[in-house]
Amino acid sequence: MSVTACQGLGFVVSLIGFAGIIAATCMDQWSTQDLYNNPVTAVFNYQGLWRSCVRESSGFTECRGYFTLLGLPAMLQAVRALMIVGIVLGVIGILVSIFALKCIRIGSMDDSAKAKMTLTSGILFIISGICAIIGVSVFANMLVTNFWMSTANMYSGMGGMGGMVQTVQTRYTFGAALFVGWVAGGLTLIGGVMMCIACRGLTPDDSK
């Protein structure tokens, strides 16, 4: 694969991954209500990083934002921070990589400068993808922990009533945004690696 093709493909893959990171951050379906024990329900709850929503059986959906900062769990705030950092680094990486593309000539910029800019943008994309993957994974781990804790509490009161009474408690499972975030973070990471590989081809022979 030529250097130009590798660099261009890395840029496109990173751009697609970056768009996915933004989409995942803005989506409301980070966690969705588990319907395993109650498949027929009048309302369906799902939550995102910025608001929680309730969809009724009639199709009406009402969302309520998180109007507090200190009252939110620390893990949720950490996930927010990781996703925002990933987006900011992605924006910087895109701006740098546009000027680093070999097919674009700006003034008397030589290949050595383009190689450094390509390497810089690749590193930024890699860190951006890692931030997104870590953020989504932390949220998924929090969901798994809360799910099993809710399951234990749900069945804890069954022994005293001969196993006939089950505590009703809302449990949440993985939402679509988690899978979008994982795929987007992986694409951004792969695109960044391709940009770093293209950097070696752009470096002049005397400075390799």
Side-chain angles (χ1 to χ4, degrees):
M1 182 183 293
S2 65
V3 176
T4 305
C6 182
Q7 186 188 43
L9 184 60
F11 174 75
V12 172
V13 172
S14 299
L15 191 62
I16 295 174
F18 172 71
I21 293 176
I22 296 179
T25 305
C26 298
M27 289 175 66
D28 295 325
Q29 293 84 13
W30 277 70
S31 60
T32 58
Q33 182 179 351
D34 180 49
L35 302 178
Y36 177 75
N37 289 328
N38 188 19
V40 179
T41 179
V43 294
F44 178 72
N45 300 285
Y46 54 94
Q47 299 174 344
L49 295 181
W50 313 101
R51 61 181 184 173
S52 60
C53 299
V54 177
R55 186 174 68 236
E56 299 179 358
S57 57
S58 60
F60 177 75
T61 301
E62 180 181 2
C63 295
R64 181 181 179 85
Y66 304 137
F67 298 112
T68 178
L69 182 61
L70 299 179
L72 294 175
M75 298 297 288
L76 179 60
Q77 297 187 33
V79 173
R80 279 182 171 184
L82 285 169
M83 299 304 290
I84 292 176
V85 169
I87 291 175
V88 172
L89 292 177
V91 170
I92 299 175
I94 289 175
L95 293 177
V96 174
S97 60
I98 289 176
F99 295 104
L101 291 175
K102 191 176 179 63
C103 57
I104 298 178
R105 283 291 176 183
I106 301 177
S108 59
M109 183 180 298
D110 56 0
D111 288 340
S112 178
K114 282 185 174 291
K116 294 178 181 177
M117 296 178 68
T118 302
L119 179 62
T120 301
S121 62
I123 294 174
L124 289 173
F125 284 137
I126 291 174
I127 299 176
S128 174
I130 291 176
C131 286
I133 293 174
I134 292 177
V136 174
S137 301
V138 168
F139 193 92
N141 180 70
M142 184 172 60
L143 274 182
V144 171
T145 303
N146 293 337
F147 183 89
W148 290 115
M149 289 179 61
S150 300
T151 303
N153 294 332
M154 182 181 297
Y155 291 98
S156 62
M158 293 179 62
M161 299 297 293
M164 299 300 294
V165 177
Q166 179 174 323
T167 305
V168 178
Q169 188 170 357
T170 303
R171 300 182 302 179
Y172 290 91
T173 185
F174 292 177
L178 295 183
F179 302 102
V180 174
W182 273 319
V183 174
L187 288 176
T188 308
L189 180 62
I190 294 173
V193 172
M194 295 183 68
M195 296 289 285
C196 292
I197 294 175
C199 166
R200 293 182 57 84
L202 289 172
T203 306
D205 295 334
D206 57 350
S207 61
K208 284 186 179 178

